[in-house]
Amino acid sequence: MEVRITARKNPLLQQVRKLLNSRKERESTGLFVADGTKLLEEAVRYYPGLDTVILSDGVEAQVPERVKLVRVPTDVMESISPMSAPQGAVFLCRLPEKTAFRPQAPMLLLDGIQDPGNLGTILRTADALRVPVALLEGCADPYSHKVVRASMGAVFRTPVVQTTWQEAKAALTQAGIPVGVTALSDRAKDIRQAATEKMAVVIGSEGQGVRPEILAQADAELIIPMNPHCESLNAAVASSIVMWQMQQV
């Protein structure tokens, strides 16, 4: 059944604003928000947790009967959409159940990736290349609207695994899977000469790199060869190169 809302202070719309701006709100309510007609198509197709769809007048979308549909005037959509040029669709989804960490090779571990654009891009690329990813401590919320948008719907298609370094390291060790870390050091091995297809590789944060704790426990240090006058690569670019190299067996 379709419901129409015209008041900007409607409780549902106020909740949307809170969910957009607060990870704590998302975790306490078990809901997150995404925007855009293309992402809505992905959620309808792949994500069982689609809960409520809010559409601007004149915007059409295929919405399952079990999902609550709300219509709003264009100006009301503009008041809740995080986009400067709203596409006319904002929707709420239920957070998924926690996915247990499962050691695999190859796989990618993300340590403190805080930029939503980088995290979303990594998840999108990992989905495309079929490389499992786990988020360690300090990463951005994978269910913030910026990450969901940058992932181009990957979070709807592939479960996001979140774990701790200690849990991941223990499971990988038990499974006999070595851990490699990307690092700018004299000890680091050229990634082209490393058996990355048999590893779990850690990508560190944009500003600090891989934590010293992880470096100390890693089995190998890896470096992406580049022009000597270049200091480093963007975390999403580095991740893409590592995942591509994992496929070159």
Side-chain angles (χ1 to χ4, degrees):
M1 188 175 97
E2 185 176 309
V3 175
R4 183 167 179 79
I5 293 175
T6 57
R8 297 189 183 194
K9 291 186 177 180
N10 178 276
L12 173 63
L13 305 187
Q14 290 181 322
Q15 182 183 38
V16 168
R17 297 184 186 100
K18 289 179 182 178
L19 291 169
L20 285 169
N21 295 313
S22 169
R23 182 172 189 167
K24 184 178 180 181
E25 184 74 15
R26 292 190 288 273
E27 291 174 348
S28 65
T29 60
L31 294 168
F32 67 98
V33 176
D35 63 271
T37 51
K38 179 67 173 69
L39 282 178
L40 176 57
E41 289 176 8
E42 294 294 298
V44 168
R45 184 174 180 182
Y46 294 106
Y47 196 70
L50 181 61
D51 184 271
T52 301
V53 174
I54 305 171
L55 297 177
S56 289
D57 290 336
V59 175
E60 298 301 326
Q62 295 294 323
V63 179
E65 289 186 8
R66 60 178 172 77
V67 175
K68 182 179 179 181
L69 176 60
V70 176
R71 282 280 176 189
V72 297
T74 302
D75 64 309
V76 174
M77 175 60 69
E78 290 173 349
S79 76
I80 60 169
S81 174
M83 301 177 71
S84 56
Q87 295 180 12
V90 169
F91 54 99
L92 281 69
C93 297
R94 294 183 295 276
L95 288 172
E97 295 292 324
K98 179 178 170 61
T99 301
F101 176 78
R102 185 163 66 91
Q104 301 175 71
M107 74 179 307
L108 205 66
L109 303 177
L110 304 181
D111 179 38
I113 303 297
Q114 297 176 348
D115 181 87
N118 280 341
L119 180 56
T121 299
I122 294 169
L123 294 175
R124 178 184 181 183
T125 307
D127 181 50
L129 296 179
R130 298 185 177 91
V131 175
V133 176
L135 278 57
L136 305 180
E137 299 94 330
C139 287
D141 180 4
Y143 297 103
S144 75
H145 70 277
K146 291 180 180 179
V147 174
V148 174
R149 186 190 308 157
S151 81
M152 289 300 291
V155 298
F156 299 132
R157 299 187 293 268
T158 305
V160 179
V161 178
Q162 301 180 72
T163 186
T164 66
W165 162 244
Q166 292 303 331
E167 180 184 0
K169 175 58 175 170
L172 289 163
T173 299
Q174 186 172 11
I177 299 172
V179 174
V181 298
T182 51
L184 297 172
S185 73
D186 295 334
R187 301 182 302 276
K189 184 177 184 179
D190 187 322
I191 194 171
R192 294 171 298 182
Q193 273 75 59
T196 53
E197 75 279 2
K198 299 177 181 177
M199 291 183 177
V201 177
V202 185
I203 301 290
S205 70
E206 297 86 355
Q208 305 300 318
V210 176
R211 276 177 285 161
E213 172 191 3
I214 297 177
L215 275 171
Q217 298 180 59
D219 300 295
E221 293 183 22
L222 308 172
I223 191 168
I224 298 170
M226 66 183 84
N227 194 318
H229 68 234
C230 294
E231 221 174 82
S232 63
L233 289 170
N234 170 278
V237 173
S239 297
S240 298
I241 292 172
V242 169
M243 288 187 282
W244 178 257
Q245 188 61 36
M246 286 172 169
Q247 316 294 315
Q248 308 309 303
V249 182

